[in-house]
Amino acid sequence: MNDASWIDATGAAMWALVERYTGQVGYKRGTKASGLNDHPPVIDCSGWTALLLSEGMAAANRKAGRLLFSDADVAAVHTWSDRLIENLERRSGFIVTGDHITVAELPPFATIGLQQGGGTWAKNHPRPRGITHVVQVVHCPGDHAPYVSEAQRMAEPYGLRLLPLAEWIAGTQDNLKPGMAWAVAPFAG
């Protein structure tokens, strides 16, 4: 994917979803994109990240006028947070871990998986690396400022929220330790 002309289209597609749904959608564990049709609309972290990534991949394919991301690539992001990180790492061969997750070290549109516990449900469903939360880096069109978009229930406001990347990193320092956090490059490969 040496021709990067599709990057702006990818970013615009993801940002359009962020603008449409941020602050409008609640959080519900285990609920994927179909939850956006519920009243009130709900989604979980991996459902939201999968939607952002699959829309970004589709936009990249349209802009490039060829298949950059196959149906298998898109299907690989429609899974739980731990598998999503694992699948993207396998495809791209790229990963940043722990305290190396910084504004300077992250690739554009990084997907970040975190070990955040999760309570009883997480103990009943063991996960590789213990990842129980995933977030997506998006960029504001125009100035390309990086933000984190996430569906979460750990901090207010609950549901879909958007934070500047530097602010999110500062607020997540306790989880950005070796063996607790992993970032991958979903559009590399």
Side-chain angles (χ1 to χ4, degrees):
M1 289 179 245
N2 295 332
D3 175 19
S5 64
W6 52 268
I7 291 175
D8 285 341
T10 296
M14 293 169 66
W15 191 260
L17 289 171
V18 167
E19 284 188 318
R20 179 175 177 188
Y21 291 112
T22 299
Q24 307 299 314
V25 176
Y27 178 89
K28 185 175 180 186
R29 182 173 46 89
T31 305
K32 305 308 175 202
S34 62
L36 296 175
N37 298 320
D38 292 354
H39 297 285
V42 291
I43 199 164
D44 74 359
C45 64
S46 59
W48 178 241
T49 300
L51 179 62
L52 289 170
L53 291 173
S54 58
E55 286 293 317
M57 289 175 180
N61 286 345
R62 285 190 301 274
K63 179 65 175 178
R66 60 189 175 88
L67 195 64
L68 298 173
F69 300 98
S70 69
D71 290 345
D73 292 332
V74 173
V77 301
H78 288 277
T79 186
W80 300 102
S81 54
D82 58 319
R83 301 279 187 233
L84 198 152
I85 296 297
E86 188 177 83
N87 291 345
L88 291 172
E89 177 191 10
R90 185 179 307 115
R91 188 175 58 71
S92 71
F94 176 89
I95 194 157
V96 175
T97 63
D99 55 0
H100 293 283
I101 296 174
T102 64
V103 173
E105 294 287 328
L106 289 175
F109 308 114
T111 304
I112 304 168
L114 301 168
Q115 247 185 34
Q116 287 190 331
T120 305
W121 69 268
K123 291 177 183 143
N124 293 334
H125 301 283
R127 294 162 173 250
R129 298 182 176 140
I131 295 171
T132 57
H133 186 57
V134 65
V135 305
Q136 182 61 48
V137 175
V138 295
H139 294 268
C140 180
D143 67 2
H144 300 285
Y147 288 83
V148 165
S149 181
E150 68 179 328
Q152 56 78 40
R153 62 171 174 71
M154 303 288 279
E156 290 192 30
Y158 300 116
L160 289 185
R161 70 179 188 162
L162 183 68
L163 294 171
L165 177 59
E167 181 181 326
W168 182 87
I169 287 175
T172 310
Q173 281 302 307
D174 289 345
N175 293 98
L176 298 180
K177 295 185 168 60
M180 292 183 67
W182 299 264
V184 293
F187 297 104

